[in-house]
Amino acid sequence: MAAFAFLLVFICTAFVSFVGSLQAGLVNVSVVRTALVRNRRAALWLAAGGSLPELLYAALAVSVGHKLVAYPAVSQHLDVAVGCVLAAAGIWHVATAKNIPAKLPQKTLLSFWQGFGLGMANPQLLPFWLGVFVFLNTTFALDSDWLRGAFVTGAACGAFLLLAGLAFFADRHRNTILAWFGNRALQAAVGWLLLGLGIWKLSGIFL
């Protein structure tokens, strides 16, 4: 019975993580770009690093979740931070597009830490996993370390499955995509996408 409960919580959390990672963000956009301009291996390393913060933020939501629920203003401040991070990343990508070399070095281990840094720079993960934890805790009563472990590991695994899928997809269709976008044009396109997401996020708060 305990094993079934663990598996159920794990699957539910992984599914939520998979779906939640579908929206365009720093990590998944970077995974696609890395698969296109470097290789699939580097993109998978970036995906592994990018999914690790999901585990850390999910664990943080478990440990301090009940305290943060009492402060809804925290969520709004984190939304502002998300918008600023996305906009700043977008501006950087656009500004440096002309300086990007035609071919990038194949540094796979560096991609892991790049993914980890991008994932940790997403303040939206904490309120997201806080909300998921509160919902699943109401549904399944996550009152044991066993079930909370299923929640935390499911968060990382679901995100990695989505990011790995993006890496394989981009790698398979590399020639088609790069026929439309060169490396520099792709860098600029990524920048404008992130900038647009940041402005959209901030406009939803202040307007």
Side-chain angles (χ1 to χ4, degrees):
M1 187 67 179
F4 175 76
F6 178 93
L7 185 61
L8 186 60
V9 172
F10 176 85
I11 291 175
C12 288
T13 309
F15 175 77
V16 171
S17 182
F18 184 95
V19 174
S21 300
L22 285 172
Q23 64 176 346
L26 287 174
V27 177
N28 47 15
V29 169
S30 296
V31 166
V32 171
R33 182 176 174 275
T34 300
L36 292 174
V37 300
R38 288 196 171 103
N39 55 40
R40 184 175 61 193
R41 184 181 179 186
L44 289 174
W45 273 104
L46 196 149
S51 55
L52 185 58
E54 301 275 353
L55 186 149
L56 299 177
Y57 278 115
L60 185 60
V62 169
S63 62
V64 302
H66 297 294
K67 299 178 182 179
L68 290 180
V69 170
Y71 300 97
V74 173
S75 179
Q76 183 175 359
H77 291 317
L78 291 174
D79 283 342
V80 173
V82 170
C84 292
V85 168
L86 288 173
I91 293 173
W92 181 85
H93 276 77
V94 173
T96 59
K98 293 182 179 180
N99 299 324
I100 295 295
K103 292 185 178 180
L104 297 181
Q106 312 296 320
K107 298 179 180 180
T108 54
L109 187 58
L110 180 62
S111 296
F112 175 86
W113 294 111
Q114 179 187 3
F116 179 77
L118 291 174
M120 291 300 296
N122 183 4
Q124 196 174 18
L125 287 179
L126 180 57
F128 173 78
W129 284 118
L130 174 60
V132 175
F133 174 73
V134 170
F135 173 76
L136 291 181
N137 189 41
T138 303
T139 306
F140 298 108
L142 307 180
D143 53 0
S144 68
D145 292 338
W146 181 253
L147 293 181
R148 291 176 179 177
F151 172 79
V152 171
T153 53
C157 290
F160 178 75
L161 285 175
L162 185 278
L163 295 173
L166 291 175
F168 277 96
F169 176 85
D171 180 68
R172 182 174 182 178
H173 299 281
R174 177 189 291 114
N175 293 335
T176 301
I177 297 174
L178 291 181
W180 290 89
F181 295 97
N183 194 7
R184 294 180 178 86
L186 182 64
Q187 171 89 350
V190 168
W192 286 113
L193 173 62
L194 295 175
L195 179 59
L197 289 171
I199 294 174
W200 174 76
K201 190 73 175 178
L202 293 172
S203 65
I205 298 171
F206 296 109
L207 298 181

